[in-house]
Amino acid sequence: MDYQFKDIEQKWQQFWADHQTFKAEDNSTKPKYYVLDMFPYPSGAGLHVGHPLGYIASDIFARYKRLKGFNVLHPMGYDSFGLPAEQYAIQTGQHPAITTETNIATYRRQLDQIGFSFDWSREVRTSSPDYYKWTQWIFMQLFNSWYNKAIEKAEPISVLVKHFEEHGSTGINAVCDEEILSFNADEWKAMSHDEQQAELLKYRLTYLRESTVNWCPALGTVLANDEVKDGFSERGGYPVEQKKMMQWSMRIAAYAERLLQGLDTIDWPEPLKEMQRNWIGKSTGASVRFPIENQESRVKSQEYIEVFTTRVDTIFGVTFVVLAPEHELVKELTTPEQKGAIEAYITQTKKKSELDRMADTKTVSGAFTGSYVLNPLNGEKVQIWIADYVLAGYGTGAVMAVPSGDQRDYLFAKHFNLPIVPIMDIQQIETEADPTKDGRYINSDFINGLFYNEAVKSVVAKLEEIGAGKAKVNFRMRDAIFGRQRYWGEPVPVYFKDGLPYLIEESELPLVLPEVDKYLPTESGEPPLGRAENWLYKQAPSKSPPEGETSSSHMAGSYRETADPVYYEQLKDFSRDNRNQPTEAENILWQLLRNEQTGFKIRRQHAIGQYIADFVSLQKGLIIELDGHHHKLNKEADDARTEVLNHLGFDVIRFINDEVLSNPQKVANDIKQKLQVIPDRKKVSPAGGDLEGAYAYELSTMPGWAGSSWYWYRYMDAHNDHEFASKKAVEYWKDVDLYIGGSEHATGHLLYSRFWNKFMKDMSLVVEEEPFKKLINQGMIQGRSNFVYRLVDEEGRGTNTFVSHGLIKEYKTSPLHVDVNIVDNDILNIQRFKEWREEYADAEFVLEGGKYICGHEVEKMSKSKFNVVNPDDLIARYGADTLRMYEMFLGPLEQSKPWNTNGIEGVFKFLRKFWRLFHNEQWVFTVSNAEPSKAELKSLHKIIRKVEEDVERFSFNTSVSSFMIAVNELTDLKCNNKSILQDMVIVLSSYAPHMCEELWTLLGNEAGTLSYATYPKFNGTYLIEDEFAYPISINGKTKMNLSISLSLDASATEAVVLANADVLRYLDGKSPKKVIVVKGRIVNMVV
RNA sequence: GCUCAGAUGGUGGAACUGGUAGACACGCAGGACUUAAAAUCCUGUUCCCGUAAACGGAGUGCGGGUUCGAUUCCCGCUCUGAGUACCA
């Protein structure tokens, strides 16, 4: 039979799913290999052709590693909390869980049809309570920890408490807030409980603090720095403003040094590491205190101004000090005479938006406070200025200005006529600052005549001696804000008592996201969770449940206890199917329930915890379920579900689909009656019980990066109810061996993940310091737009005539985007163009060579540019194997490139040609058992080695070319030798798995065994040549080729060359000055 | 501005430690099969000169260097893309 990719691909995808072919073993004697793709967010648009690029590469690698005898973990799941689903919910009122579910279904369908070898039994979703239970749990561990700088490691907070109890605050070297109390052990014990908790909060790795945040009013949330671009939100492009807010933060800065050092131990692309290094922004220097002159008279709060400098050696060149306008001492330092000028300057700075301030880096501006500081080393009096080139958020918000060495200081000094003192003998400062470190110091007191290294040492020593400063390392990286004022995220497992945060009990996890009526902030500006009814924490009567007994109050836990796990899974599957396809009965009934026809507001497809109820009245606490045939089989699951919902204070009534279909009005009336008789839902807390003495929960949810900061561990043990992953699983799988994804995660996900990983390592929860050993960035796939050129008439109006691209110079035209899906190799399908839009139905064309050629341009892939290519269409036309190979054939994985289907035919032809090797002229499967010829073995072993080399260095595009060469050779050899072809099938199977599985079984092998076959062993003896066609070159220019036996050594080869008649003709009588012979490579003669 | 990556035919790209530049594929041109088209197959295809072949010359962004020999190594520059931005 001819190559029927559709049947073949469907057949094998089904087979893999049915037989769980790619399920990784947890107990294996094989070495482990963990291949991971970056967690996708299931967006509504589904996959475009750029997404699978990385997945295909990792899949080829995973399949290859299986053939090489590894136990491969290659999982997939969804980072399913996030803004887009919530935005959609706000616009449509549909629960984000439903949107997310639908999107995931689309993703899954698209992923499946590309034939990936994912172990789907380990799928995770960050928005599932089973999963976020452990995200919340890790949050709790962070809350219960502090960072001990003495041992460069996080420790339980109990260690700190013990130290406080025994020694007070002395001897503690912690990463903590700036304002901490000093106390002895007795003073600590004398503190009230609240005072102690408030103090501990300053040490916890996750803590509350007032911070300036990027507040986006349009999105109603706080954005991370990397989600803001030029003062606008990256998603949606809404304006972002600075706002002070009480926020959960994570002390990632505690790990700055380890995050930096760790980069040297991992195999990541250099640009990516560089981005992280810049983001961490380590600078080594010194902090120096400049005493404020005459400070008794005005300044009381502080005696000095502290600055950070990386050039402490230039301290004798300081001629003024500059503070950020926001600096806390500005007010106190301003003299009455300068008050006007300073206030005017501050007002002017505030008015400038972030954007203006960035655009305008040329203008020099500032104001004099009227006060002075003294240079701590020579007592010189220098002026204190304020200027907006000094940033409040970096260092101490103050700089010592050295105009001779720093260009900004130089411009400032010139502009305000401040002194400029040279400090190096070789400094050239006539027109600009000279930051040189070479030369010897001048005008510099005790370091005069010294070189840089000596000078730094002796200045730091002197400063330490007089207590005016010390060597210091500064980081640019700030603590990460960990909270957003949104609905669709993990609830923070914290409640507030007397204004202080406390964790809920571990046994009460997961804290399930409550229902809200709208996904918007409350009228008083609180986050959407503020809308949740009775969203309050009631402490369990006994502080923690007895050993071995879990709280029965939370939904997922209780559900699993009341229901058999099998039913639990069935129910999950059922709700999944059901949600995607509302039944006819549901649709009919909805028409009778909507718009309060029953007298009560009914919601459709509303999420109650992790379940979606068909219909619900929140007021009455009544859930209406419609049961199809499915339920008859799963009555027990339904009962269990009812039990859980009852437990949550809901009544449940059920109808059978047939009842609704035969008499919908009766069903509606039954519902109406029921609603009238039952009382309004009694107020219960999500944790059960009444709400007497309950506390407010935290209302913000976790940010997008929470769930993705540890997910690779969940895949190791995805269904564990007792731990985030078992110790055994973590110790076996350890870390990710290969991680593939885009570089857009450089300073977000990849930094936070490393941070959580290091923390988890400190807590002995995991074993590796770095989570991702090897990382590869796949390049972006850009769009390739096509254009048609509309003829413009004399009045400048567009006509309905279109000019082919080659002729546009002769006409006046304007370009218009045209859908790339109706263009083939830049040739417009005129018929489909006319059908594309009504207005083009009568379009006329100026053709060249009978064809309409379109113009093209590389742009971002986007709907508005009509250049989005969906993998579905290509798979329908060529099949998944062709798509897989073509995406690889496009070029190096890491390189960005425009998508362009121009070459896809060639890949398809190649696969067909491969198929044909196994078939005769009549497409009947025929292979021979003859001994393979030397030439056949040579072709085979060339490709065996080539694919090994290419895959190991992630050069997938060159393998595809080599496959083509091999198949071309075997076709020329008319090869249909079984042993050769069988090995070819194994080698090709990671690239084109469906076709290879089919051929594998046709060759008589057991179905499904190909994935775990053994990669053929390379044998170099088949490649040994006895002759080589040497290129003979004269002065480096190749003139001819000459075949010479490889058994000859260099001098014998030279003799053969010099005796050759053609060579002599080229030499034209001259004798070569020198002859270079590289055996098996080249002969070069110098004349 | 700084940091990083990159630049090879009409197009995507190959050339791994310096050793025949343009593999493989697309496109294009010519041919075979066909009444015709599609599909398929065959041949050619870096550019320039020459009627064709042999042959000759130029050629990997630009300028220079090292070398018997440079797409590859070194120096300077141009352009493109990405990241970052008054970081003291």
Side-chain angles (χ1 to χ4, degrees), chain A residues 25 127 458 588 612 985:
Chain A
E25 300 164 50
S127 61
S458 73
I588 290 171
I612 310 285
V985 165

Side-chain angles (χ1 to χ4, degrees), chain A residues 706-720:
Chain A
S708 60
S709 292
W710 69 280
Y711 74 108
W712 64 97
Y713 286 118
R714 190 60 180 169
Y715 285 133
M716 295 175 184
D717 192 7
H719 304 293
N720 194 327

